[in-house]
Amino acid sequence: MPEALTSVTPWRQELAQSLRDPDALWQYLQLPPEHLPAARALAKEFPLVAPMPFVRRITPQTMNDPLLMQLCPVAAEAQAVPGFSHDPVGERLAQVQPGMLRKYHGRALLITTSSCAIHCRYCFRRHFPYAQRARGPGWWRPAIAHIAADDSIDEVILSGGDPLMLSDEQLAQVVSEIAAIQHVQRLRIHSRLPIMIPQRLDLSCRQWLNQDSLQMVLVLHANHAQEIDEQVCQSLQPLRQEGVHLLNQAVLLRGINDSAQAQRLLGERLLSAGVLPYYLHALDPVAGAAHFHIGDQEAIAIMDELHRLTAGYLVPRLVREVPGEAGKRWIWPSGNDHGDCT
Ligand SMILES: *Cc1c(COP(=O)(O)O)cnc(C)c1O
Ligand code: SF4
């Protein structure tokens, strides 16, 4: 095959075919036209991005479909609600500049890219420019040098945005440099792409994921059982065989997964794909996402019921990130006495 053709991989083709226009989404899913003007207006503030493999899992003509609600601009976003700000996690972003976060013991988090395959309406990043500032070749080297010089770091986390938006050439390079550091035992990747575009986990991706000297952990992000279809299960299968540990983090979202039953089904569906639930995040109080908010009391009641309904290993930890704390705060099980030994 000519080289020009081999470079356009199936997952990049899927990415390019994502819906970015509310009109196209409305047409594809035959949504009620009265909601379209609001969607057009809100998409100007935070653009719609919806990859087709995910869109195909949405039930047509259904505004309250749990997958559609995650990506569809709606009128409620325009309401200003006290306590929901444009920069709820200012500290987190302030540290983004050097491309590395070092907040928790033993773990260094590398911000690889700011782009994502989907724009989640509840994301704190909705108020920040998504456009990727071009980074020069070897942009990761200062961070890697820092990690190499600090032998208390035994785990490196690739985060974003979504690290799997980078090319396999770049990821293979970064990962091989991390693997060469003696004291790094584990590499963790936080990515929503395998849920959005399962073809992302292709052969060339699995090649760099297969590292002898590192324990590999892939933390996915699915909020609802309906996100995990046969294609997702099948694309994860080879990773399991290669010994990659699969975990999931979700966000607790009003109208999407705000019941013990929805959480139970999510956990069971994840397990059938070889994935265990890890974290359930309390929503960041970001302006435009207040309609997704669930108070701590209600959230704890959901967790208590979930704990009664299902196996302990299918119950995630309900957490919140609190600036300045040495680990994520556990809301359920309650108190930091269950958590990191800080
Ligand atoms: C979430 C997070 C981690 C990982 O925390 P775990 O509790 O180990 O999942 C590491 N560094 C930063 C900056 C984080 O936000
Ligand atoms: S994939 Fe994650 S980082 Fe990207 S928009 Fe969704 S929640 Fe935000």
Side-chain angles (χ1 to χ4, degrees):
M1 230 191 289
E3 217 171 341
L5 283 182
T6 56
S7 63
V8 186
T9 54
W11 75 268
R12 288 242 182 245
Q13 266 167 8
E14 277 292 0
L15 199 62
Q17 284 159 13
S18 298
L19 301 182
R20 293 167 183 274
D21 175 9
D23 287 71
L25 183 69
W26 252 249
Q27 193 177 22
Y28 187 84
L29 292 172
Q30 305 151 50
L31 297 172
E34 65 268 27
H35 298 288
L36 180 54
R40 284 183 187 139
L42 273 306
K44 289 201 178 84
E45 295 187 17
F46 180 49
L48 167 82
V49 178
M52 286 310 293
F54 192 75
V55 170
R56 285 186 214 110
R57 295 170 214 150
I58 296 172
T59 309
Q61 301 175 341
T62 311
M63 284 305 289
N64 63 358
D65 178 278
L67 276 55
L68 180 66
M69 286 175 72
Q70 296 177 46
L71 58 81
C72 185
V74 292
E77 293 178 21
Q79 283 161 21
V81 176
F84 287 77
S85 75
H86 280 65
D87 186 11
V89 282
E91 188 208 55
R92 214 190 296 175
L93 282 156
Q95 294 177 59
V96 163
Q97 277 314 83
M100 196 181 119
L101 296 183
R102 186 69 214 288
K103 293 209 306 204
Y104 302 156
H105 181 81
R107 288 150 288 173
L109 186 149
L110 226 75
I111 308 280
T112 53
T113 166
S114 60
S115 59
C116 289
I118 179 177
H119 281 184
C120 307
R121 306 310 292 183
Y122 52 83
C123 184
F124 77 94
R125 306 171 138 266
R126 56 179 293 145
H127 299 291
F128 293 88
Y130 263 74
Q132 167 82 323
R133 259 170 296 157
R135 294 211 253 181
W139 54 266
W140 61 86
R141 295 242 155 75
I144 303 273
H146 177 108
I147 294 163
D150 182 348
D151 65 8
S152 76
I153 297 173
D154 58 12
E155 175 164 355
V156 177
I157 303 169
L158 303 185
S159 189
D162 196 315
L164 294 184
M165 291 290 276
L166 297 180
S167 70
D168 287 317
E169 291 72 28
Q170 210 165 116
L171 284 161
Q173 188 63 40
V174 175
V175 169
S176 74
E177 288 180 33
I178 293 168
I181 302 170
Q182 282 268 311
H183 53 263
V184 176
Q185 312 286 321
R186 295 181 297 282
L187 181 70
R188 195 196 315 181
I189 297 162
H190 287 178
S191 174
R192 204 173 187 196
L193 247 170
I195 304 293
M196 295 300 124
I197 303 177
Q199 296 96 317
R200 179 64 187 93
L201 300 174
D202 58 13
L203 200 61
S204 80
C205 178
R206 273 150 40 207
Q207 259 159 8
W208 61 260
L209 269 172
N210 205 349
Q211 296 282 336
D212 290 337
S213 70
L214 287 172
Q215 282 179 316
M216 285 285 184
V217 183
L218 177 59
V219 184
L220 303 165
H221 173 179
N223 298 311
H224 192 278
Q226 194 179 316
E227 291 173 49
I228 301 150
D229 67 359
E230 238 353 86
Q231 205 190 2
V232 171
C233 292
Q234 279 171 21
S235 69
L236 292 171
Q237 188 71 27
L239 273 67
R240 297 165 64 188
Q241 281 158 2
E242 284 153 19
V244 178
H245 299 274
L246 301 175
L247 301 171
N248 183 65
Q249 50 185 348
V251 181
L252 185 58
L253 297 163
R254 169 82 58 209
I256 293 173
N257 58 14
D258 56 342
S259 70
Q261 182 63 2
Q263 292 294 332
R264 182 172 77 90
L265 292 173
L266 173 60
E268 289 174 358
R269 190 76 189 125
L270 286 166
L271 183 70
S272 73
V275 185
L276 285 178
Y278 176 43
Y279 278 152
L280 180 59
H281 293 266
L283 182 78
D284 288 320
V286 59
H291 56 291
F292 289 123
H293 175 73
I294 291 167
D296 278 2
Q297 250 186 337
E298 186 181 348
I300 289 165
I302 292 170
M303 297 307 293
D304 283 338
E305 191 187 343
L306 178 62
H307 177 47
R308 281 193 298 273
L309 284 181
T310 196
Y313 58 85
L314 296 184
V315 182
R317 284 144 237 176
L318 178 66
V319 294
R320 162 177 296 126
E321 217 173 310
V322 180
E325 290 195 2
K328 291 194 193 343
R329 184 182 291 178
W330 293 29
I331 309 170
W332 192 102
S334 65
N336 262 348
D337 48 341
H338 295 274
D340 298 10
C341 24
T342 49

